[in-house]
Amino acid sequence: MALSASSPWVALAYLVAGVLFIMALRGLSSPATSRSGNRYGIIGMTLAMVTTLVTHGVASLPEIIGAIAVGGGIGFVTARRIKMTDMPQLVAAFHSLVGLAAVLVGWAAYLNPAAFGILEGAHIAAHSRIEMGLGIAIGAITFSGSIIAFLKLAGKMSGSPILLPGRHALNLGTLALIVGLVGCFTQVDDLWVIAAITALSFGIGFLLIIPIGGADMPVVVSMLNSYSGWAAAAMGFTLDNTAMIITGALVGSSGAILSYIMCKAMNRSFLSVIAGGFGADSGGAADGPAREARPWKRGSAEDAAYIMKEAETVIIIPGYGMAVSQAQHVLREMGDQLKHAGVNVKYAIHPVAGRMPGHMNVLLAEANVPYDEVFELEDINGEFAQADVAFIIGANDVVNPAAKTDKSSTIYGMPVFDVEKAKTIFFVKRSMGGVGYSGVDNDVFYMDQTMMLLADAKKMVEDIVKALAH
Amino acid sequence: MDFVSILSIFVMACFVGYYVVWSVTPALHTPLMAVTNAISSVIVVGALIAGAASGSAVSKWLGLLAVVLASVNIFGGFAVTERMLAMYKKKDKK
């Protein structure tokens, strides 16, 4: 062993790794600096891993290298192959792995406390037991919660909420029991205590996420992101490791802030999202007297092509429907053709568009849309009054004026795009039947200046591109 | 290190995290999640300690399994972030 684990140089190395992680996030303040930020993250991780290996007795290096190679290979190939539209479920799957790794590390530390230096006499130090118990609990919740989030996002499980009777009492009771057991663990370090904490936490993670609807997933994914950070931080306390503590705090705050941004963009409280039940398939349609047949106009791809070519400014508002039909590439082609015709094309993105924060931005970037043509809600909302065309593709609730005017609406108070101020509105939608996930009817469908383009988003935009070529 | 110094580092890091994350541009929120995912796998440190130690065979195998899982995340997380960030381009200057 070259260095002892307690040497100040080791602590310094972990601290440097922590600082490199801070710089990795700092780089993301602009796309221009983001890639160097990612490199800092890689250097920090390498430093943390190498430091650990040189300062601890390694019984069998080939086994360790083998484990890293197997995991790294799987991770790398997955990252290369994954489609950008599948990014939300990939992130959820990755969260689940962090959670499970935290649980395993906690168990390993429990079974071999000497290796972790957490023994006080013959027993594990009491404060280490609290940290270990919390780390295992948060890790297990992150794991099972992320599995459910993954299944919902990947469409392998219905996105609609599953509501168990008495779920609030059940959930709160289980959480209280877990906290009680962690307390108990400081007194009794028997195997059954830690096993019970693990089992109950797996259960509660599952119960917490099944009542949450598919459209609330941006909040859930951010929240699980936050949990995975707190789990790492708790383990960092157990191991007195500054790199883990700094990272845990960073990731924990990052996820918490993203959850807050998402909730604010939907005008919902975090508690109401967590309580779940929103976006149920039934219910929404029944409470709206607005479902009577109102006149609306159907447009064609040729109409859209003709009007947009003559326009001065076109603002495109993409939503989850664009991701579902993979329309981002052909949408960019449409944008290019319009730009060639001298039209000023801009993209407007709502914070909760898609299934995770920034989902639409990634898809547009994938389709080579320059990021300086893509605008956030507050930056572009003033421009609809001067815009000739608002082109809505796969979005619905984020353009619903009911959020501004109808106090009884479930989406009232949510910030939305002022599309109704544009001279012409094209609304690409699969059919008139479906409404947004909130189940609220949208007055925009029936406005004088609105033309409904009813088709699959990709097919419709392809037709518009063909029509523009003429 | 005593508990209070560790706690101080944690609290300060929470504040740093708060300010750094608010400065992240919303357009990069998806890469942010991917990269935080990768760095939270620093939990691999604990996994390596367990996997490298002799003493308890069960603990060692749990540690090695955790190393595998965390490595999926580390390599996958950084690679997918790199891939996404490479796609963000500015308008071509004509």
Side-chain angles (χ1 to χ4, degrees):
Chain A
M1 211 188 309
L3 277 168
S4 110
S6 56
S7 149
W9 289 106
V10 176
L12 195 64
Y14 285 130
L15 184 64
V16 171
V19 172
L20 285 165
F21 292 149
I22 295 175
M23 287 163 73
L25 298 199
R26 180 72 197 138
L28 291 173
S29 57
S30 138
T33 55
S34 57
R35 292 181 80 182
S36 55
N38 199 37
R39 308 275 154 72
Y40 289 132
I42 296 171
I43 298 170
M45 186 61 74
T46 314
L47 181 63
M49 289 174 80
V50 171
T51 307
T52 310
L53 286 176
V54 299
T55 53
H56 289 84
V58 180
S60 166
L61 195 58
E63 282 175 357
I64 297 277
I65 301 293
I68 296 174
V70 169
I74 297 173
F76 192 76
V77 170
T78 315
R80 286 278 137 199
R81 294 210 177 141
I82 190 85
K83 280 194 296 204
M84 284 297 147
T85 37
D86 294 341
M87 201 51 75
Q89 49 267 43
L90 179 76
V91 168
F94 279 170
H95 286 157
S96 75
L97 298 182
V98 181
L100 189 56
V103 174
L104 295 174
V105 171
W107 271 88
Y110 173 79
L111 294 169
N112 193 0
F116 287 80
I118 52 174
L119 277 179
E120 231 173 45
H123 290 278
I124 301 171
H127 71 90
S128 298
R129 289 192 224 161
I130 298 188
E131 294 151 4
M132 195 190 282
L134 284 178
I136 290 179
I138 304 172
I141 294 173
T142 311
F143 172 70
S144 53
S146 299
I147 294 282
I148 302 296
F150 168 79
L151 292 174
K152 288 197 174 197
L153 287 165
K156 293 186 164 67
M157 180 177 161
S158 158
S160 55
I162 298 166
L163 303 175
L164 300 176
R167 63 201 156 87
H168 293 311
L170 181 66
N171 290 353
L172 289 175
T174 315
L175 281 175
L177 196 56
I178 293 171
V179 173
L181 280 167
V182 172
C184 168
F185 189 47
T186 60
Q187 305 302 320
V188 192
D189 64 349
D190 288 349
L191 188 75
W192 69 266
V193 186
I194 186 170
I197 293 174
T198 313
L200 285 172
S201 304
F202 278 137
I204 190 74
F206 177 77
L207 290 174
L208 281 174
I209 309 302
I210 53 168
I212 304 179
D216 277 345
M217 281 302 140
V219 182
V220 171
V221 175
S222 318
M223 183 183 84
L224 292 166
N225 185 240
S226 180
Y227 287 178
S228 68
W230 304 130
M235 284 302 155
F237 275 103
T238 315
L239 304 182
D240 270 6
N241 185 300
T242 45
M244 280 165 88
I245 289 176
I246 294 176
T247 315
L250 285 179
V251 178
S253 349
S254 164
I257 290 172
L258 289 176
S259 313
Y260 169 80
I261 295 174
M262 295 299 115
C263 286
K264 201 151 169 273
M266 295 194 285
N267 191 38
R268 315 236 343 254
S269 76
F270 186 66
L271 275 180
S272 83
V273 172
I274 297 309
F278 195 70
D281 288 339
S282 60
D287 61 7
R291 301 315 317 267
E292 88 271 17
R294 286 198 265 168
W296 50 277
K297 279 196 299 268
R298 182 170 192 150
S300 68
E302 288 73 24
D303 299 335
Y306 177 75
I307 292 174
M308 286 199 284
K309 219 195 275 189
E310 303 300 319
E312 213 165 291
T313 311
V314 172
I315 302 179
I316 298 172
I317 300 145
Y320 184 54
M322 178 192 82
V324 172
S325 80
Q326 303 261 9
Q328 65 270 27
H329 299 279
V330 62
L331 187 66
R332 195 260 309 149
E333 261 181 64
M334 183 185 99
D336 283 352
Q337 284 187 337
L338 289 173
K339 277 193 272 177
H340 277 299
V343 182
N344 183 8
V345 179
K346 289 177 176 179
Y347 298 81
I349 297 190
H350 194 276
V352 291
R355 285 290 186 265
M356 74 185 290
H359 192 187
M360 291 298 122
N361 302 78
V362 170
L363 294 181
L364 291 179
E366 184 198 14
N368 279 322
V369 172
Y371 61 79
D372 36 5
E373 289 177 8
V374 182
F375 296 88
E376 305 299 321
L377 172 65
E378 59 269 31
D379 297 328
I380 200 164
N381 221 5
E383 296 186 25
F384 282 101
Q386 286 86 46
D388 297 299
V389 175
F391 188 88
I392 303 158
I393 172 165
N396 190 347
D397 290 331
V398 299
V399 298
N400 193 334
K404 291 180 286 191
T405 54
D406 180 4
K407 286 209 165 94
S408 66
S409 170
T410 47
I411 59 168
Y412 180 73
M414 171 173 161
V416 290
F417 290 114
D418 297 330
V419 284
E420 68 280 1
K421 291 188 181 156
K423 285 198 196 79
T424 308
I425 302 170
F426 291 107
F427 211 124
V428 182
K429 206 170 171 309
R430 214 177 271 273
S431 72
M432 285 304 283
V435 283
Y437 72 80
S438 66
V440 182
D441 202 8
N442 193 338
D443 284 340
V444 171
F445 300 159
Y446 315 105
M447 288 178 174
D448 286 342
Q449 77 266 42
T450 305
M451 275 193 226
M452 301 301 296
L453 303 175
L454 298 183
D456 171 70
K458 191 175 177 188
K459 177 84 184 37
M460 176 53 71
V461 180
E462 277 169 358
D463 289 347
I464 295 174
V465 167
K466 269 182 222 145
L468 280 170
H470 287 306
Chain B
M1 259 189 282
D2 62 301
F3 181 73
V4 175
S5 6
I6 286 272
L7 187 66
S8 322
I9 293 176
F10 177 69
V11 173
M12 292 301 151
C14 285
F15 278 94
V16 171
Y18 179 85
Y19 288 106
V20 168
V21 172
W22 272 115
S23 75
V24 171
T25 168
L28 293 176
H29 276 164
T30 297
L32 171 68
M33 299 199 85
V35 83
T36 50
N37 212 221
I39 65 173
S40 62
S41 304
V42 72
I43 198 141
V44 74
V45 167
L48 289 171
I49 295 174
S54 47
S56 161
V58 183
S59 172
K60 188 184 96 171
W61 285 109
L62 290 178
L64 286 175
L65 182 57
V67 172
V68 174
L69 298 180
S71 303
V72 173
N73 242 320
I74 294 170
F75 286 76
F78 282 123
V80 87
T81 308
E82 188 72 29
R83 203 179 131 200
M84 280 192 274
L85 293 176
M87 299 185 315
Y88 284 81
K89 289 185 198 82
K90 257 185 130 84
K91 215 180 301 196
D92 297 332
K93 289 181 198 82
K94 281 166 202 164

